[in-house]
Amino acid sequence: MMTTSRKNDPLEPVGPDCDVVTVPARQGLEAVDILRRGAGDAVGPVLHDGGCDTLGFLVPPGTAAAWDVPGSVCTETDGRGIRLTPDRPAKGSDWLVPPGEADLATDPAMLREALGQAQRMIEAADSCS
């Protein structure tokens, strides 16, 4: 008879209940910088994929239900697949802003504002060339 550990159960939550906002890396890096320069430490843990094409901001649960920022996607995780440890969170990804160096989640309103500002900065920079 084969038994499995609950720790390895793919349906068992392994991290906090959160949602993840995924954005293109260029816009996300600008947004991280904007959030870090703002009042207080406004950025929570941030993931990047192995190809550095996208960033994922951990945001409070329920954010996905009302997220409508063009060029980004917000996904519910229900705590599955995200481990808030400084170690690599999942195969093919790593932390840009690791847990422990940040709040538990980025405030969605602040992230929305930072992403908008980042997009305007990118458009301005691209129009100068």
Side-chain angles (χ1 to χ4, degrees):
M1 180 166 114
M2 188 169 118
T3 60
T4 59
S5 164
R6 288 181 55 86
K7 196 180 341 182
N8 295 328
D9 184 348
L11 300 178
E12 184 68 25
V14 295
D17 191 15
C18 65
D19 291 350
V20 178
V21 173
T22 305
V23 299
R26 185 175 177 197
Q27 183 182 17
L29 290 169
E30 291 287 348
V32 167
D33 190 43
I34 291 164
L35 289 167
R36 284 186 161 170
R37 287 188 317 227
D41 194 18
V43 65
V46 180
L47 296 159
H48 68 81
D49 66 355
C52 294
D53 295 325
T54 61
L55 295 185
F57 292 81
L58 272 61
V59 293
T63 301
W67 191 258
D68 62 352
V69 176
S72 67
V73 176
C74 189
T75 309
E76 295 178 23
T77 67
D78 297 325
R80 289 173 174 80
I82 295 179
R83 299 179 196 282
L84 288 185
T85 65
D87 300 329
R88 182 169 289 184
K91 186 176 180 179
S93 66
D94 207 348
W95 294 109
L96 176 68
V97 179
E101 290 184 16
D103 291 335
L104 289 177
T106 299
D107 178 271
M110 294 180 79
L111 179 57
R112 180 184 305 270
E113 187 176 318
L115 289 172
Q117 185 177 349
Q119 186 60 38
R120 290 187 297 276
M121 290 170 63
I122 290 168
E123 289 169 359
D126 288 351
S127 70
C128 291
S129 38

